[in-house]
Amino acid sequence: MTAHHFPEGQAAALFCGIGYLASLALYLALRRRYFPRTPWLTAWLGALMLGSVNLCPVMLIRSQFYEVPIAAAYMYSMIALGCLYAGLLRGALRRRWLWAGSLAFGLAVGSRPHFVLASPLLAIAGARCWRERSRAAARRPAGRILADAAGLVLPLAAVVLGLLTYNYLRFGSPLEFGQKYQLAGTNQLKMKLLDWRAIPENFYYYFWAPAQYVRYFPFVEMVRPYAGGH
């Protein structure tokens, strides 16, 4: 629309901000429905944790290349969860929310393809819709169940199909995302992106690495790196 690329730093900040607001809206909706007597102090602390324990504070330190699609995937996934939750509650607008949730989830996959591993969430939402339709004993329950299933599947399928077509037209293979054409400090053709031997190191950094507070954003740093090797 503007004939200019959005600056990467501003794009990542915008995606992180919208993603946080979407997760906050979902959190407050769940709190209002299932924990209405929760003190406001607890709700405030929960809102603070939603914005501080995700990857956004780290990504916003250096928003140059990878951080933009990661932030976009975070934003779309949070929007998808909110839409799916709304679709399970809103009777008249159920199908629109399911379509919107599936589309947002597809855009999250388009931003970071490995988000497709979270696709069982759509199956869970579909099972919930099927159970509610069966209990309602509608006049034509089968047709409505199929319509709900189409709303959950078709938008995601359209985005994934478009992504695979783009990969084929640009790189000659639907499953090539441009990884082997990357210019980086290591040889991308020989680099192992998935390796079982990396599990201990990742477990250490996610759950066990000691950290300390510092004066600079994000105000936490690791005391020592992983020393076990692969």
Side-chain angles (χ1 to χ4, degrees):
M1 294 176 64
T2 63
H4 295 281
H5 290 292
F6 205 58
E8 294 176 341
Q10 296 181 21
L14 179 65
F15 293 153
C16 286
I18 297 176
Y20 170 70
L21 292 178
S23 66
L24 181 61
L26 177 59
Y27 164 68
L28 294 178
L30 291 171
R31 173 187 174 274
R32 183 167 54 250
R33 181 174 178 85
Y34 298 105
F35 307 99
R37 298 183 180 180
T38 303
W40 275 104
L41 177 60
T42 304
W44 183 85
L45 291 175
L48 179 63
M49 290 181 62
L50 279 176
S52 59
V53 302
N54 53 36
L55 288 176
C56 290
V58 178
M59 288 191 296
L60 294 179
I61 298 177
R62 176 192 174 276
S63 302
Q64 295 183 1
F65 185 76
Y66 295 104
E67 290 77 14
V68 176
I70 294 174
Y74 164 68
M75 177 188 71
Y76 287 125
S77 61
M78 292 299 102
I79 293 175
L81 289 177
C83 290
L84 291 177
Y85 175 73
L88 295 177
L89 297 180
R90 305 292 178 88
L93 300 177
R94 170 198 297 268
R95 203 160 298 144
R96 296 181 183 180
W97 283 112
L98 296 180
W99 277 79
S102 179
L103 177 61
F105 191 77
L107 294 174
V109 175
S111 302
R112 299 290 286 176
H114 64 271
F115 267 62
V116 74
L117 298 176
S119 56
L121 290 174
L122 296 178
I124 295 175
R128 174 69 181 271
C129 292
W130 177 81
R131 186 176 64 178
E132 290 186 359
R133 292 298 192 188
S134 299
R135 289 180 177 179
R139 184 174 302 176
R140 293 187 301 170
R144 295 183 179 181
I145 292 175
L146 290 176
D148 289 343
L152 287 169
V153 173
L154 291 182
L156 171 63
V159 174
V160 172
L161 180 62
L163 179 62
L164 297 179
T165 303
Y166 173 83
N167 291 342
Y168 176 77
L169 294 175
R170 184 173 184 181
F171 302 116
S173 172
L175 299 180
E176 173 56 58
F177 293 89
Q179 185 71 29
K180 67 181 182 182
Y181 297 99
Q182 249 181 288
L183 298 177
T186 57
N187 190 337
Q188 298 297 310
L189 295 177
K190 298 181 179 180
M191 183 178 178
K192 287 187 177 181
L193 300 179
L194 298 176
D195 192 339
W196 293 107
R197 293 176 295 178
I199 292 179
E201 181 175 356
N202 284 316
F203 182 85
Y204 170 80
Y205 282 122
Y206 274 101
F207 300 105
W208 202 251
Q212 63 184 2
Y213 292 105
V214 294
R215 67 179 65 180
Y216 304 107
F217 184 83
F219 312 113
V220 177
E221 69 176 4
M222 286 182 294
V223 176
R224 59 180 180 271
Y226 182 71
H230 290 297

